[in-house]
Amino acid sequence: MTHPTLWLGLLIVAYFGGSQAENAFSKYWEEHIGLPQPPHWLAAKASPLSLHQIAMFMNLTVKNELASHLHSFCKQANVACSTNAQDNKIKHDTSLPPIAKWNGDRVKYEYVPNEEPLSVASQGGLPFFRESMVKEGGFMQVPDLRDPISYKSFLPRPLASKIPFSFSRIEELKKIFGVINESNMDEYIQDTLEICEKSPIQGEQCTCVTSAEDFIDFVVEKLGHHICIWSSESIEGSYENVTIGFVKLIHGNLSEPPVLCHSLPFLFQVYYCHVLQKVKIYAVDIHARKKVNHAIMACHYDTSNWNPNHLAFKLLGFGPGLIEVCHWISENGVVWTKTQG
């Protein structure tokens, strides 16, 4: 149970902390990125914790007492501390089927499946496809574009560095956040840590970022300060056989690889960001049942180092290095490219 004095303190700093946190993120953005403001949805990913709250929760973490104040921490930090908290907070379009089983194959190119591959039906549509399949006027079955835990925020960098984030400390992590064994969250944690600790394939540069500052730092390190940011507008088209509208190549320079960042299902916001050679980026108008979704598509033209058993090859035929493989950028996913000129 949270001590009354601590609870009162949390209410006071929460009242003043939200704008302070967003302003801190905007300031860091302006100092490092050659764009006036971050997209609103990305700014909303910044930790809402104030400096006072950060110091307080860091102190509890160091003393191994964070688990005793879990409810207040989850609420103030806007993170998912258990499957119950996750289920209660997520509000998706009830006209869609339940969220598809999360598919990490798009970032595990060397992965050898140890179970039956995911079916197209279980994903809601094609998770991988050829560039030639996306033509204006054509039709395509779009997979589930939703982020399984879309609302979660980053942790502040000082606090994130104190949270155990490795397979070797997974039981400690689950105990802190009250995660039940064999729950959905337990599976998400294991999948995310597996991705973050895997070895990159040849030619890939990758990292997992757990704070907004680390997010920006990795992108600036790889692309410099003058960049463009691209993301799919919405989840519209998920589970639908959509009509493809206008298709626009927005990054076609194969010698200047973009940075692709995938939102991973976890207790707090984690992105798997990587740089791969020979990737083109397209903006595609998806004419869904309710509205047009301006979606982003990434196409990998060098698949020579992917595992022959990768799901993309099982779905499309051929093998590594013989075809390009494309996929949609899902909810909360981000593509960063260098500014041209």
Side-chain angles (χ1 to χ4, degrees):
M1 181 175 179
T2 304
H3 192 278
T5 304
L6 175 61
W7 181 246
L8 177 61
L10 288 171
L11 289 176
I12 293 172
V13 295
Y15 181 81
F16 295 102
S19 60
Q20 178 186 4
E22 189 163 334
N23 288 339
F25 174 74
S26 295
K27 182 179 179 181
Y28 198 86
W29 174 279
E30 291 171 6
E31 290 173 350
H32 294 80
I33 302 291
L35 294 171
Q37 289 289 332
H40 174 72
W41 67 268
L42 183 56
K45 287 288 182 186
S47 173
L49 295 177
S50 68
L51 294 176
H52 178 77
Q53 287 172 306
I54 294 170
M56 180 168 51
F57 286 126
M58 283 186 65
N59 185 47
L60 291 171
T61 303
V62 170
K63 293 181 178 180
N64 292 320
E65 297 176 359
L66 185 61
S68 301
H69 303 89
L70 191 60
H71 178 75
S72 57
F73 173 68
C74 295
K75 184 174 182 179
Q76 301 303 322
N78 191 40
V79 298
C81 295
S82 70
T83 50
N84 289 334
Q86 168 196 345
D87 292 340
N88 290 338
K89 200 157 186 177
I90 293 178
K91 292 182 174 60
H92 284 300
D93 185 346
T94 54
S95 66
L96 290 175
I99 292 179
K101 179 178 174 62
W102 191 77
N103 176 17
D105 286 356
R106 76 188 65 176
V107 296
K108 295 191 288 188
Y109 306 109
E110 82 296 349
Y111 178 58
V112 180
N114 55 11
E115 57 185 25
E116 287 299 312
L118 297 169
S119 68
V120 171
S122 71
Q123 291 295 290
L126 275 174
F128 301 102
F129 44 90
R130 302 288 303 273
E131 181 190 16
S132 59
M133 298 168 68
V134 185
K135 297 297 182 183
E136 187 170 0
F139 299 92
M140 174 171 283
Q141 191 73 29
V142 175
D144 195 345
L145 299 176
R146 293 172 293 180
D147 184 340
I149 317 175
S150 61
Y151 69 86
K152 60 192 181 300
S153 297
F154 280 117
L155 288 181
R157 179 149 56 183
L159 183 55
S161 67
K162 301 295 183 183
I163 301 295
F165 189 75
S166 67
F167 251 116
S168 63
R169 300 179 66 187
I170 190 170
E171 294 304 321
E172 182 183 352
L173 174 70
K174 288 162 56 177
K175 183 177 180 181
I176 292 173
F177 286 92
V179 176
I180 302 169
N181 288 337
E182 299 183 4
S183 63
N184 287 340
M185 184 62 79
D186 186 12
E187 185 176 340
Y188 288 151
I189 289 172
Q190 293 187 51
D191 286 347
T192 291
L193 292 178
E194 178 184 345
I195 289 170
C196 291
E197 294 186 1
K198 75 178 183 66
S199 299
I201 63 172
Q202 185 177 345
E204 181 187 24
Q205 304 170 64
C206 59
T207 189
C208 279
V209 295
T210 57
S211 72
E213 297 90 342
D214 287 346
F215 196 31
I216 292 173
D217 288 352
F218 180 78
V219 173
V220 170
E221 176 190 340
K222 301 305 176 187
L223 300 180
H225 297 278
H226 301 290
I227 58 176
C228 296
I229 179 170
W230 312 91
S231 60
S232 294
E233 184 178 72
S234 71
I235 62 168
E236 293 295 334
S238 296
Y239 282 96
E240 292 183 34
N241 188 28
V242 304
T243 301
I244 302 297
F246 185 63
V247 180
K248 180 182 179 181
L249 177 67
I250 56 178
H251 178 81
N253 187 347
L254 295 181
S255 64
E256 292 280 1
V259 175
L260 276 61
C261 294
H262 306 272
S263 180
L264 301 183
F266 201 69
L267 300 153
F268 45 86
Q269 184 62 58
V270 176
Y271 275 99
Y272 177 81
C273 293
H274 59 155
V275 180
L276 285 162
Q277 301 299 315
K278 298 185 178 180
V279 176
K280 290 183 180 180
I281 306 298
Y282 294 83
V284 181
D285 287 348
I286 293 176
H287 291 262
R289 184 171 58 250
K290 291 183 178 179
K291 59 179 290 189
V292 176
N293 182 6
H294 305 292
I296 301 299
M297 176 178 82
C299 291
H300 300 264
Y301 284 81
D302 182 2
T303 59
S304 57
N305 292 310
W306 294 25
N307 191 286
N309 292 314
H310 192 278
L311 177 60
F313 303 131
K314 292 182 178 294
L315 293 174
L316 303 174
F318 301 93
L322 299 177
I323 58 169
E324 85 293 340
V325 173
C326 304
H327 62 80
W328 302 110
I329 300 299
S330 300
E331 182 182 21
N332 290 324
V334 191
V335 176
W336 309 76
T337 59
K338 280 188 177 181
T339 302
Q340 299 300 313

